[in-house]
């Protein structure tokens, strides 16, 4: 199917393009761009993007698709449908499935399911260690061959520094990013929210910023030692932003992501014991939120990911301590992130960089651009579209969001993945 | 006059008038327990459920007696006998209890917020009998009742709360309540047991127990649990007793007539010496007053209308 996107404003940071252009898609690829009205349709389906932004398809570096193993929370079909609804044409899925994605067979299963059912591209992240148990390395070469674009023991950080060192060294063979959920398990203990005054009032066990910071410090040191590519997951603390900025200035090969909830909410959202505000890392203080926004502005934080973590309603309808960590994010990420543009934190081009161009570069997947010849992964955004989040209408199988009922401005109105409307 | 809310989940948010009203009502109930026939018909026909997910002797018995002395039907459910061991969720258990037409459900739970979680989903009144490290409102009310009884006032009284503040729901509820009532609260313990930002509650904080006790009108000791040693919060009972134990010498720094309190159960020789506990404390008065205070709370949550006796 050929598509002619007319009258839109094209934002393509990879090519430094920000202008009113038409764009023609032929056979799943971007065939050409030209001045408004200059391209002929020749039977292509016409999409009128007047007043809208036409950007390279958004890429989410951090989602949990839950398949195989936890299909009651999410499947590859429902998770990628949510992605598409949220403007994402590609997602990276974390390996904490059951079984863990630590072998070629699991990666191949995920990719074959994706080929059958997915509405967006699926890039698996393989595990660092077998079973994500923090011991022996997984067969990283096999995982890479099978299609994994990075390795991570997300949610079960590698506590043994020597194991992490070897993983980073070994990953250099393939030059894939080592994706680190930075959390010192001992310091985090059995904490359930940010350590601070709110936790003190609620009587909930705290997770200090230091639980994240010491692990980032360690991983930066190991990245320097090994020369590996380190990608830091879901940054939530001001200390982490500071250390990452410092490491970058010294030339360490490090990239980092944060998530919309870390620049939209503070730990005050937990008051009332709202399990929808329970995630790991936890929502932090206002000072941390300010630092995260500044880190996005100055580029210390390369990417906005979601850490989309679906959980069933019953699992969240329990005592706060007993609820699982995590929220869904694919269908609210863009609306929340566009607020950064209105707040003057990011330009539109910077936002597209954080949500598409940089993620594509980090995983080396291609995409993230509207260059002629590139795959036609395109998101059309209406910046002015006002809408109210209604979790009951999510394409995701789960509804665990703290943003239900929020009024947001701006959303994806068309998501074209691989030239498919 | 009834209480303004359906539930009693915490002291935080209660006004001076509300607290005073509970304490005054408790005073009027106290003599019931001193009579030969320890019963009034105030809650006749009401069903009270003690739903205890944590071990408790004192608090559970106190609530049970309070309910019975008000003529309510009181049922005790504790974890070992409940469906919790069969994997039923807290909410399902509570809904099933309510389906049998309970009026008041008294909840003790290791998870902070568990009573609030139920209160938002049940028609019954929920009374928090201690949730995690959050609040233990009836304990604070009985503590305030006891101070008022012994010292004649709460306003202007200096209270030193000593021990494991981090894990103490008793400390939090007392800080809220006593601050509202005009008392000056000092918090004392090792930094490993002081929660982040506690000074924002308007208390003064010190690591030095001698300083905390000096000039205090009330010294409230908290239980230190042995598992905190394994977690690295203190090196051992010997050093703990030396730094944060209340003994006669240390007590002499307090104001003349100062009272010593402990929510129980005590570790004799650790946070409190037997000498002080047995001869200079109001610990058993606290327990006696607990029944009256809990009668008052149940009575007020049920509408606060006294039938003709």
């Amino acid at each position: 199917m050929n598509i002619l996107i007319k009258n839109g404003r094209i934002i393509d940071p990879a090519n430094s393009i920000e202008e009113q252009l038409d764009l023609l898609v032929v056979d799943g690829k971007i065939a050409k761009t030209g001045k408004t009205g200059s391209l002929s349709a020749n039977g292509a389906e016409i999409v009128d993007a007047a007043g809208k932004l036409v950007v390279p398809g958004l890429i989410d570096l951090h989602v949990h698709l839950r398949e195989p193993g936890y299909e009651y929370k999410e499947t590859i079909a429902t998770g990628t449908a949510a992605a598409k609804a949220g403007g994402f044409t590609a997602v990276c899925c974390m390996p904490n499935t059951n079984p863990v994605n630590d072998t070629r067979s699991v990666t191949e299963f995920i990719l074959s399911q994706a080929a059958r059912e997915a509405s967006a591209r699926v890039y698996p992240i393989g595990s660092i260690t077998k079973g994500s148990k923090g011991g022996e390395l997984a067969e990283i070469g096999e995982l890479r061959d099978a299609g994994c674009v990075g390795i991570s023991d997300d949610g079960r950080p590698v506590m043994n520094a020597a194991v992490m060192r070897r993983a980073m060294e070994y990953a250099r063979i393939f030059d894939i990013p080592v994706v680190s959920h930075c959390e010192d398990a001992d310091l985090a203990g059995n904490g359930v929210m940010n350590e601070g005054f709110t936790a003190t009032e609620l009587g909930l066990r705290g997770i200090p910023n230091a639980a994240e910071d010491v692990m980032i410090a360690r991983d930066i040191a190991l990245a320097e030692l090994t020369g590996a590519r380190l990608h830091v997951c879901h940054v939530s603390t001001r200390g982490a932003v500071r250390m990452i900025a410092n490491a970058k200035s010294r030339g360490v090969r490090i990239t980092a992501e944060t998530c919309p909830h870390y620049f939209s909410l503070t730990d005050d959202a937990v008051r009332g014991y709202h399990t929808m505000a329970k995630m790991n890392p936890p929502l932090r203080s206002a000072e941390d939120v300010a630092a995260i926004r500044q880190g996005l502005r100055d580029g210390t934080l390369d990417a906005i990911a979601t850490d989309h973590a679906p959980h069933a309603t019953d699992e969240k309808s329990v005592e706060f301590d007993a609820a699982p960590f995590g929220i869904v994010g694919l269908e609210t990420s863009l609306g929340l992130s566009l607020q950064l543009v209105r707040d003057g934190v990011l330009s539109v081009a910077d936002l597209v960089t954080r949500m598409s161009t940089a993620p594509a570069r980090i995983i080396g997947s291609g995409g993230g651009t509207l260059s002629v010849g590139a795959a036609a992964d395109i998101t059309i955004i209406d910046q002015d579209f006002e809408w109210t989040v209604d979790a009951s209408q999510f394409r995701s199988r789960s509804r665990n969001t703290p943003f239900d009922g929020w009024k947001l401005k701006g959303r994806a109105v068309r998501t074209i993945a691989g030239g498919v409307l | 006059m009834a209480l303004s809310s359906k539930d009693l989940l915490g002291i935080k948010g209660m006004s001076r008038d509300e607290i005073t009203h509970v304490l005054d009502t408790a005073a009027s109930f106290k003599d019931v327990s001193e009579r030969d026939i320890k019963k009034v018909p105030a809650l006749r026909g009401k069903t009270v459920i003690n739903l205890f997910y944590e071990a408790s002797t004192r608090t559970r018995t106190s609530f049970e007696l309070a309910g019975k002395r008000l003529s309510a039907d009181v049922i005790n459910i504790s974890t070992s006998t409940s469906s919790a061991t069969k994997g039923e969720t807290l909410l399902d258990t509570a809904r099933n209890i309510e389906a049998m037409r309970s009026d008041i459900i008294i909840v003790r739970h290791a998870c902070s917020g568990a009573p609030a979680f139920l209160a938002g989903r049940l028609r019954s009144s929920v009374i928090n009998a201690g949730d995690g490290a959050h609040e233990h409102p009836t304990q604070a009310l009985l503590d305030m009742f006891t101070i008022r009884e012994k010292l004649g006032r709460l306003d202007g009284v200096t209270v030193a709360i000593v021990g494991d503040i981090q894990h103490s729901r008793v400390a939090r509820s007392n800080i809220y309540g006593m601050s509202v009532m005009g008392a000056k609260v000092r918090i004392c313990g090792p930094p490993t047991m002081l929660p982040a930002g506690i000074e924002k509650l308007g208390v003064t904080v010190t690591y030095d127990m001698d300083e905390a006790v000096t000039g205090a009108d009330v010294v409230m000791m908290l239980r230190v649990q042995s598992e905190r040693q394994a977690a690295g919060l203190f090196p051992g009972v010997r050093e703990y007793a030396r730094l944060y134990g209340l003994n006669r010498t240390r007590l002499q720094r307090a104001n003349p007539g100062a009272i010593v309190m402990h929510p129980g159960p005590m570790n004799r020789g650790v946070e409190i010496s037997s000498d002080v506990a047995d001869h200079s404390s109001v610990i058993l008065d606290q327990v006696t007053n607990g029944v009256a205070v809990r009668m008052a709370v149940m009575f007020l949550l049920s509408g606060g209308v006294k039938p003709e006796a």
Side-chain angles (χ1 to χ4, degrees), chain B residues 267-282:
Chain B
N267 296 301
R268 290 170 176 267
V270 184
E271 73 267 7
I272 189 167
S273 71
S274 285
D275 180 27
V276 170
D278 294 335
H279 302 295
S280 307
S281 84
V282 298

Side-chain angles (χ1 to χ4, degrees), chain A residues 196-197 200-204 271 273 317-319 321, chain B residues 12 109 111-113 117 133-134 172 195-197 200:
Chain A
F197 180 62
T200 293
E201 280 203 303
L202 294 176
L204 292 172
R271 289 185 185 279
Y273 301 93
S317 301
V318 294
E319 304 90 305
D321 285 347
Chain B
K12 190 185 175 198
H109 203 290
C111 295
S112 298
F117 170 77
H134 175 227
R172 283 173 181 72
K200 289 187 193 167

Side-chain angles (χ1 to χ4, degrees), chain A residues 235-257:
Chain A
V235 171
S236 75
T237 69
R238 53 195 188 274
V241 174
R242 191 175 62 236
M243 285 187 280
I244 292 164
N246 178 279
K248 284 186 167 182
S249 73
R250 287 182 290 113
V252 180
R253 299 174 78 201
I254 181 173
T255 55
E257 74 194 26

Side-chain angles (χ1 to χ4, degrees), chain B residues 37-287:
Chain B
I37 296 171
K38 302 179 180 59
K39 220 174 184 63
V40 290
L43 292 193
R44 192 167 55 195
K46 300 281 187 186
T47 300
V48 174
I49 310 289
N50 264 330
L51 181 58
F52 275 56
Y53 281 85
E54 252 188 4
S56 162
T57 307
R58 188 182 348 262
T59 304
R60 189 189 54 71
T61 307
S62 182
F63 270 111
E64 182 175 357
L65 283 174
K68 286 182 169 166
R69 285 178 188 171
L70 291 170
S71 303
D73 297 308
V74 184
I75 302 294
N76 294 312
I77 300 170
S78 58
T79 31
S80 53
T81 56
S82 81
S83 303
T85 52
K86 299 177 192 166
E88 188 172 56
T89 67
L90 173 64
L91 184 55
D92 282 338
T93 300
R95 280 179 172 154
N96 277 276
I97 290 166
E98 184 162 85
M100 297 179 225
R101 302 293 178 256
S102 57
D103 297 292
I104 298 177
I105 300 182
I106 296 155
V107 183
R108 165 163 290 192
H109 203 290
C111 295
S112 298
F117 170 77
L118 290 181
R121 291 163 175 80
L122 298 176
R123 288 184 305 278
S124 302
S125 288
V126 173
I127 298 175
N128 180 1
D131 62 328
H134 175 227
E135 284 229 39
H136 191 352
T138 58
Q139 177 71 43
L141 289 165
L142 76 87
D143 288 341
M144 289 187 280
F145 184 92
T146 304
I147 294 170
R148 202 176 73 159
E149 184 181 70
K150 299 295 175 189
L151 301 181
R153 66 200 165 97
L154 281 159
D155 206 10
V157 167
T158 297
V159 182
I161 306 179
V162 183
D164 184 2
I165 311 295
Q166 168 80 56
H167 298 95
S168 178
R169 50 200 178 207
V170 175
R172 283 173 181 72
S173 288
N174 268 311
I175 290 169
Y176 294 130
M178 291 179 184
S179 301
V180 167
M181 299 307 286
K184 294 191 286 278
V185 182
R186 301 170 177 171
I187 292 299
C188 177
T192 48
M193 295 181 177
L194 297 180
I198 188 77
E199 68 285 349
K200 289 187 193 167
L201 293 178
V203 299
T204 57
V205 180
T206 176
Y207 310 143
D208 178 350
M209 186 167 173
D210 285 343
E211 185 186 321
V213 172
T214 302
D217 301 303
V218 177
V219 182
M220 180 180 292
M221 301 306 301
L222 300 176
R223 174 182 173 77
V224 63
Q225 289 181 281
S226 55
E227 60 257 38
R228 309 298 175 210
Q229 184 180 334
L233 300 190
F234 67 102
V237 294
R238 184 167 168 271
E239 176 148 312
Y240 188 87
R242 192 170 64 79
L243 291 174
Y244 297 104
L246 185 63
N247 52 40
R248 184 146 305 283
T249 316
R250 203 162 246 156
L251 183 56
Q252 281 165 359
R253 294 172 176 272
N255 278 345
I259 59 173
V260 175
M261 308 179 82
H262 194 301
M266 306 182 263
N267 296 301
R268 290 170 176 267
V270 184
E271 73 267 7
I272 189 167
S273 71
S274 285
D275 180 27
V276 170
D278 294 335
H279 302 295
S280 307
S281 84
V282 298
I283 293 169
L284 294 177
D285 299 280
Q286 290 173 267
V287 177

Side-chain angles (χ1 to χ4, degrees), chain A residues 80-124:
Chain A
T80 55
K84 185 167 188 183
F88 293 92
T89 55
V91 297
C92 296
C93 59
M94 284 295 164
N96 61 338
T97 46
N98 185 18
V100 169
N101 184 12
D102 63 355
T103 55
R104 172 187 283 273
S105 60
V106 178
T107 305
E108 287 180 345
F109 168 79
I110 291 168
L111 290 173
S112 69
Q113 279 292 84
R116 277 194 297 273
E117 301 180 345
S119 315
R121 296 177 200 276
V122 173
Y123 296 117

Side-chain angles (χ1 to χ4, degrees), chain A residues 109-275:
Chain A
F109 168 79
I110 291 168
L111 290 173
S112 69
Q113 279 292 84
R116 277 194 297 273
E117 301 180 345
S119 315
R121 296 177 200 276
V122 173
Y123 296 117
I125 306 278
S127 71
I128 295 174
T129 60
K130 293 189 176 86
S132 288
K133 288 178 177 161
E136 289 179 31
L137 295 183
E139 290 186 350
I140 296 165
E142 283 272 291
L143 290 168
R144 172 64 178 167
D145 280 353
C148 288
V149 296
I151 50 171
S152 179
D153 279 355
D154 182 51
R156 298 180 65 182
V158 179
M159 277 298 287
N160 184 321
V163 172
M164 192 62 162
R165 176 222 173 135
R166 297 308 179 200
M168 286 195 190
E169 285 177 334
Y170 197 79
R172 291 206 62 185
I173 305 172
F174 318 103
D175 202 37
I176 52 174
V178 177
V179 178
S180 180
H181 167 125
C182 288
E183 179 188 14
D184 184 292
D186 295 313
L187 272 175
N190 50 9
V192 294
M193 72 169 291
N194 183 45
E195 182 172 305
F197 180 62
T198 305
T200 293
E201 280 203 303
L202 294 176
L204 292 172
R205 293 182 297 274
I207 301 172
N209 282 25
E212 184 167 336
D213 296 352
V214 297
M215 203 59 142
I216 287 181
R218 182 200 80 173
D219 283 354
I220 288 172
L222 293 177
E224 282 186 282
L225 173 68
T226 61
R229 287 175 57 200
L230 170 65
H231 177 71
V232 181
C233 296
H234 42 54
V235 171
S236 75
T237 69
R238 53 195 188 274
V241 174
R242 191 175 62 236
M243 285 187 280
I244 292 164
N246 178 279
K248 284 186 167 182
S249 73
R250 287 182 290 113
V252 180
R253 299 174 78 201
I254 181 173
T255 55
E257 74 194 26
T258 188
C259 308
H261 37 286
Y262 300 123
F263 58 73
S264 304
L265 295 170
T266 68
D267 62 1
D268 259 344
V270 177
R271 289 185 185 279
Y273 301 93
H274 293 302
T275 57

